[in-house]
């Protein structure tokens, strides 16, 4: 799905940022597609759950509003 989206947008996956609230779908999908990833903690995955996964997002934010001010 992420690869199709990047093709439709006409950008390379490495130029994209996958933002999601689930490590097991959004973040792993973005990583597998070659995208940078941002986990937002305002949804399903919470900070204390990160150690349950063998992979890590590139960025972690409390909510999507923090992304606007981040130096990505």
């Amino acid at each position: 799905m992420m690869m199709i989206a990047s093709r439709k947008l006409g950008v390379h996956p490495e130029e994209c940022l996958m933002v999601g609230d689930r490590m097991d779908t959004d973040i792993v999908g973005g990583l597998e597609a070659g995208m940078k990833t941002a986990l937002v903690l305002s949804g399903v995955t919470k900070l204390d759950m990160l150690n349950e996964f063998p992979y890590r997002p590139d960025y972690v934010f409390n909510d999507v509003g923090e992304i606007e001010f981040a130096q990505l």
Side-chain angles (χ1 to χ4, degrees):
M1 181 171 57
M2 281 44 151
M3 295 300 292
I4 292 169
S6 69
R7 277 192 224 118
K8 290 253 184 209
L9 293 169
V11 295
H12 294 283
E14 54 272 358
E15 297 174 291
C16 297
L17 177 67
M18 175 60 197
V19 179
D21 70 343
R22 295 187 66 108
M23 286 289 290
D24 59 341
T25 56
D26 306 326
I27 302 305
V28 75
L31 291 170
E32 288 177 350
M35 298 176 175
K36 295 259 188 205
T37 58
L39 174 68
V40 290
L41 301 173
S42 55
V44 175
T45 303
K46 304 300 179 195
L47 189 59
D48 62 342
M49 298 168 65
L50 283 180
N51 289 332
E52 298 174 18
F53 301 92
Y55 48 88
R56 295 285 177 268
D58 295 291
Y59 308 98
V60 178
F61 299 103
N62 288 312
D63 56 55
V64 292
E66 287 187 353
I67 297 170
E68 179 181 3
F69 302 106
Q71 297 282 333
L72 305 179

